[in-house]
Amino acid sequence: MKSMEQELQCPVCKDIVKQPIVLPCLHSVCLMCASEVLVQSGYPQPELPPEPNSPASTPNTRSPRQIRRPIPKSDRVDRLLRSGSGTYPGRRRKEGPQTLMLFPCAPCGRDVELGERGLAECMRNLTLERIVERYRHTVSLGSVAVMCQFCKPPQALEATKGCADCRASFCNECFKLYHPWGTPRAQHEHVQPTLNFRPKVLTCPEHDQERLQFYCKSCQMLLCSLCKLRRIHTGHKIAPVTQAYQTLKDKITKELNYILSNQDMVLTQITQLENTMLAQALESSRQRRAEALANQVAEKRSLLEHASLMAFTQELLKENDPSSFVHAARITHNRLAQSIESMQRFSLSADPSFRHFQLDVSRELKLLTDLSFIQAPLAPVIDTQRTLAYDQLFLCWRLPQDSTPAWHYSVEFRRRGVVPGAAARWGWQRLEEVTGTCAVIDRLEMDSVYVLRVRGCNKAGFGEYSEEVYLHTPPAPVLNFYLDSRWGLHADRLVVSKEQRCARSVPGLSLLQDADRALTSCHLTADLLVGDVAITQGRHYWACSVEPGSYLVKVGVGLESKLQEWFHLPQDMASPRYDPDSGHDSGAEDSSDSPPPFSFLTMGMGKIYLPSSANSHHTDANYRESGFTNGNGPSSPTGVTYPLPPRLGVCLDFEKGRVTFYDAHSLRPLWEGPVDCSAPVCPAFCFIGGGALQLQELVANRNANQTPVRRVTIQSRVTKLN
């Protein structure tokens, strides 16, 4: 935008054009500049419209509710009568030849005929005005505040709106006052506040308020519907202005694209011209120097060629008469002295070297100095917060800030396994030409550790590898399900998202009403959510995240029938699963011989509670070292709390009747216990107080535009609720 300032300059004042008009030669000049040029050429002062910021155009001098037609001045009427131009009632056009105005156009270098009406026949260049306004906004030229033209000073406020119909700028209060709702003024066009209001469209200079809707191809001029009917345009090719607009716009676009696409050719031509000029300058200088040196050589050779002078001098020296010798030898002495002086003061009349020719190589030196060779991308940084292993591996990375851009990436991964007697590493597998900064790897083996790394590539080649990251795949196939809120749902405190993958419990009025009983009894306000599938066979794994600020959230599995029986109860009844000494709702208190009907792990206030009982055990060595043993040894009467992991994983082995809880981020086992699997088992979640949880989204569904079709790998739960 800043490079086109030369195109926006008036050829007369050499400044940015103001109120430009188009001359018949198609050049644009300022209206005021054109008027001054005509006055300097001896023409009378033309009648001009008032300046946009002049008092004549300020609405303070008139009421906005009255639209008056300005009365022409008397001197203007006299001038129109004398010049024979203009129309008014009862006036007939003066017959006879009209005096044509000639405007000296500087770009053309010739006088241009303006026509009978002078500058009145030159239409404003509204397109150029809009370009100038955008240019001033871009380069911040003349960015002054526009004040409201209706506020009384000195309390004038800054204008916030402009009206194209009223041709004035208003503040908010004045705009409401002068544009009442329900009046025709309310339909006026709103624009940005400005001091230069221009017409919305071009109108015919001869027929007031007539829009220019046609274009005469023969005369190459715009016409209104009345001008089209004139006999002067009979037989001419006249087209709608919209058609001429599209045709001319297509031509200019094609020409612009051609020039832009041939920039290299223009630069080559400029280089050829510069080389030719340099060669011509060198050749011209060589010729001038050669001529000067040739004249000097001829002068020196003349000294050797004048043998007669030397012989004459030798004979002159034989003269013995003093008076005769002096009389004859003076001219010879002068000639010999000149020759000697020429020999002693010898210098070349032209410099044979070209030292004064200095080749300007500053641009080339700057280019060589600024030349920077393309470097390969630096080692990417793995985003460990977003990278995970679930149904598929999702790897995410980024380039360092000081790294060169990468065209694409190469992702490499391998499985790390152990063979009896020795450690064996599987070969690297690759995903080539990954264009984004994340990749999905599928078809992996369960309960395996994979090593991943990535490197970028550009024109300079491949860069360095990132640090290797280790991901542990789930121990069983991932189970995809949604939350079923039909059991015990209380709209005042439990909200399930539209996608049925998030749930939030907010303590409501019911908890406040039961607060006094909660202090003296074991009454609880609990809400249960279950998965919309029931497991009847196989091993399955799923993961979820619990909000650290949750009060109490229980995550686990249970028999569908028992969950419905024990949790779908009136809120006034005591919960059969609450035991202040247990902290784990496993149902082990009912019977020591049979497995519990459900198994939950309790989380709350940023902690996770890992219980210890005869039927459950910790599987992590760190826990055993802390004094907590498995079911084969002595067990602690109470459990232990640990920081809440970012994601909790649950693995159910239906055939073995065992459920294992994992830290889903590192897949480290946290707790394992039995569960009754004699009937369909479903995932379950219980809220006590405020809390929130979210099911882990499948990696395969992250980039899907639509909800994927769910694959039924287990028996769906179909239960009719009473």
Side-chain angles (χ1 to χ4, degrees), residues 111-170:
D111 294 338
V112 179
E113 295 183 1
L114 296 182
E116 300 178 0
R117 303 175 65 239
L119 295 180
E121 292 189 2
C122 300
M123 292 183 291
R124 291 178 63 177
N125 195 339
L126 297 181
T127 301
L128 182 57
E129 289 189 35
R130 297 186 185 99
I131 296 176
V132 169
E133 185 173 350
R134 293 196 297 266
Y135 173 78
R136 288 182 176 273
H137 179 73
T138 302
V139 299
S140 299
L141 291 178
S143 55
V144 296
V146 179
M147 307 307 294
C148 177
Q149 297 173 307
F150 291 90
C151 292
K152 295 183 179 180
Q155 291 81 15
L157 301 178
E158 184 175 352
T160 58
K161 294 181 181 179
C163 181
D165 297 276
C166 299
R167 301 173 64 83
S169 298
F170 302 82

Side-chain angles (χ1 to χ4, degrees), residues 39 89 117 122 288 291 406 425 427 495 574 718:
V39 172
R117 303 175 65 239
C122 300
R288 290 194 302 269
E291 292 177 359
R425 294 183 178 270
V495 179
V718 180

Side-chain angles (χ1 to χ4, degrees), residues 55 300 402 442 456-457 593 703:
K300 297 302 178 181
D402 54 347
D442 54 1
C457 178
D593 298 332
N703 297 327

Side-chain angles (χ1 to χ4, degrees), residues 360-376:
D360 185 10
V361 294
S362 58
R363 184 170 61 90
E364 288 73 12
L365 289 177
K366 186 178 184 304
L367 292 176
L368 292 175
T369 304
D370 298 341
L371 185 62
S372 59
F373 295 96
I374 300 178
Q375 297 180 355

Side-chain angles (χ1 to χ4, degrees), residues 303 335-345:
L303 297 177
R335 293 176 63 185
L336 292 176
Q338 292 178 358
S339 300
I340 293 173
E341 183 181 4
S342 176
M343 294 176 61
Q344 292 177 348
R345 297 183 178 181

Side-chain angles (χ1 to χ4, degrees), residues 483-489 528-530 532 568 717-721:
L483 297 176
D484 188 351
S485 59
R486 291 178 293 175
W487 289 4
L489 175 61
L528 178 68
L529 286 175
V530 297
D532 62 348
H568 197 260
R717 180 177 58 85
V718 180
T719 305
K720 183 176 181 180
L721 301 179

Side-chain angles (χ1 to χ4, degrees), residues 255-547:
E255 294 166 353
L256 177 63
N257 294 336
Y258 178 81
I259 294 177
L260 294 178
S261 62
N262 290 274
Q263 291 290 330
D264 295 338
M265 181 181 66
V266 176
L267 294 177
T268 303
Q269 294 174 353
I270 292 176
T271 303
Q272 292 178 355
L273 292 174
E274 292 177 347
N275 294 338
T276 303
M277 293 173 58
L278 179 60
Q280 290 180 353
L282 293 174
E283 181 63 22
S284 176
S285 177
R286 186 193 67 80
Q287 292 179 359
R288 290 194 302 269
R289 297 184 183 192
E291 292 177 359
L293 293 174
N295 295 335
Q296 191 175 18
V297 169
E299 180 183 354
K300 297 302 178 181
R301 284 181 178 177
S302 64
L303 297 177
L304 300 178
E305 293 175 355
H306 291 173
S308 59
L309 177 60
M310 300 298 102
F312 176 78
T313 303
Q314 292 177 358
E315 293 298 326
L316 179 64
L317 292 176
K318 295 178 182 181
E319 179 64 40
N320 295 324
D321 183 27
S323 59
S324 299
F325 179 80
V326 172
H327 179 72
R330 286 181 299 178
I331 185 65
T332 304
H333 169 69
N334 294 335
R335 293 176 63 185
L336 292 176
Q338 292 178 358
S339 300
I340 293 173
E341 183 181 4
S342 176
M343 294 176 61
Q344 292 177 348
R345 297 183 178 181
F346 172 76
S347 63
L348 295 176
S349 61
D351 188 1
S353 66
F354 291 87
R355 289 191 299 267
H356 69 286
F357 279 88
Q358 296 182 359
L359 185 61
D360 185 10
V361 294
S362 58
R363 184 170 61 90
E364 288 73 12
L365 289 177
K366 186 178 184 304
L367 292 176
L368 292 175
T369 304
D370 298 341
L371 185 62
S372 59
F373 295 96
I374 300 178
Q375 297 180 355
L378 298 179
V381 179
I382 303 297
D383 188 351
T384 56
Q385 299 297 326
R386 300 176 57 190
T387 299
L388 59 90
Y390 199 48
D391 57 314
Q392 299 172 348
L393 288 185
F394 181 74
L395 181 64
C396 186
W397 63 88
R398 59 176 175 84
L399 283 176
Q401 293 183 354
D402 54 347
S403 174
T404 56
W407 292 355
H408 56 82
Y409 298 89
S410 174
V411 179
E412 300 183 2
F413 62 96
R414 61 178 175 84
R415 177 171 175 256
R416 190 180 67 174
V418 178
V419 181
R425 294 183 178 270
W426 297 61
W428 289 99
Q429 304 181 50
R430 294 180 178 83
L431 296 179
E432 300 290 352
E433 297 186 358
V434 179
T435 55
T437 56
C438 58
V440 176
I441 305 173
D442 54 1
R443 295 190 295 272
L444 302 176
E445 297 187 14
M446 294 180 298
D447 200 11
S448 302
V449 177
Y450 282 85
V451 187
L452 300 95
R453 63 185 184 184
V454 62
R455 59 176 177 172
C457 178
N458 57 15
K459 190 175 182 179
F462 282 97
E464 299 178 356
Y465 283 103
S466 66
E467 294 185 1
E468 295 182 351
V469 61
Y470 295 81
L471 294 180
H472 197 157
T473 57
V478 174
L479 175 66
N480 184 29
F481 62 90
Y482 298 87
L483 297 176
D484 188 351
S485 59
R486 291 178 293 175
W487 289 4
L489 175 61
H490 294 81
D492 61 336
R493 63 174 183 266
L494 187 60
V495 179
V496 180
S497 66
K498 182 179 179 180
E499 296 80 11
Q500 294 185 277
R501 302 194 68 88
C502 304
R504 176 173 294 273
S505 175
V506 180
L509 183 61
S510 58
L511 182 60
L512 181 62
Q513 295 172 348
D514 296 338
D516 55 343
R517 292 183 295 175
L519 295 176
T520 58
S521 63
C522 55
H523 286 76
L524 290 177
T525 301
D527 291 292
L528 178 68
L529 286 175
V530 297
D532 62 348
V533 294
I535 303 173
T536 58
Q537 60 181 356
R539 299 175 69 243
H540 303 278
Y541 175 85
W542 62 93
C544 66
S545 59
V546 177
E547 189 176 273

Side-chain angles (χ1 to χ4, degrees), residues 32-243:
M32 293 299 298
C33 295
S35 174
E36 294 176 359
V37 170
L38 289 178
V39 172
Q40 294 174 1
S41 301
Y43 294 100
Q45 175 70 34
E47 187 73 17
L48 300 178
E51 286 292 328
N53 54 355
S54 63
S57 64
T58 303
N60 288 330
T61 60
R62 63 181 186 272
S63 173
R65 291 186 172 88
Q66 297 177 358
I67 303 177
R68 305 179 191 175
R69 185 169 184 175
I71 302 176
K73 299 180 181 180
S74 58
D75 57 342
R76 180 175 180 269
V77 176
D78 296 339
R79 192 184 306 112
L80 292 176
L81 291 175
R82 289 194 301 268
S83 61
S85 60
T87 58
Y88 53 88
R91 170 68 178 172
R92 298 182 60 184
R93 185 175 296 274
K94 183 178 179 180
E95 299 178 357
Q98 299 291 336
T99 303
L100 299 179
M101 288 187 179
L102 298 179
F103 184 86
C105 180
C108 294
R110 62 183 180 86
D111 294 338
V112 179
E113 295 183 1
L114 296 182
E116 300 178 0
R117 303 175 65 239
L119 295 180
E121 292 189 2
C122 300
M123 292 183 291
R124 291 178 63 177
N125 195 339
L126 297 181
T127 301
L128 182 57
E129 289 189 35
R130 297 186 185 99
I131 296 176
V132 169
E133 185 173 350
R134 293 196 297 266
Y135 173 78
R136 288 182 176 273
H137 179 73
T138 302
V139 299
S140 299
L141 291 178
S143 55
V144 296
V146 179
M147 307 307 294
C148 177
Q149 297 173 307
F150 291 90
C151 292
K152 295 183 179 180
Q155 291 81 15
L157 301 178
E158 184 175 352
T160 58
K161 294 181 181 179
C163 181
D165 297 276
C166 299
R167 301 173 64 83
S169 298
F170 302 82
C171 64
N172 287 333
E173 296 299 327
C174 292
F175 188 85
K176 296 177 182 178
L177 176 63
Y178 290 99
H179 296 79
W181 182 260
T183 63
R185 284 182 174 270
Q187 306 299 326
H188 287 184
E189 181 182 358
H190 304 169
V191 295
Q192 293 294 329
T194 180
L195 294 175
N196 184 15
F197 287 94
R198 62 181 66 89
K200 298 181 180 179
V201 293
L202 283 175
T203 56
C204 181
E206 297 186 13
H207 305 95
D208 191 20
Q209 303 301 326
E210 287 292 332
R211 300 184 60 177
L212 301 173
Q213 300 178 348
F214 302 95
Y215 179 75
C216 180
K217 298 181 180 179
S218 304
C219 301
Q220 295 187 356
M221 61 182 301
L222 294 169
L223 305 175
C224 67
S225 56
L226 299 179
C227 293
K228 179 185 175 184
L229 302 178
R230 289 184 174 179
R231 288 183 296 177
I232 191 175
H233 298 292
T234 303
H236 290 184
K237 295 181 179 179
I238 299 178
V241 69
T242 55
Q243 179 181 349

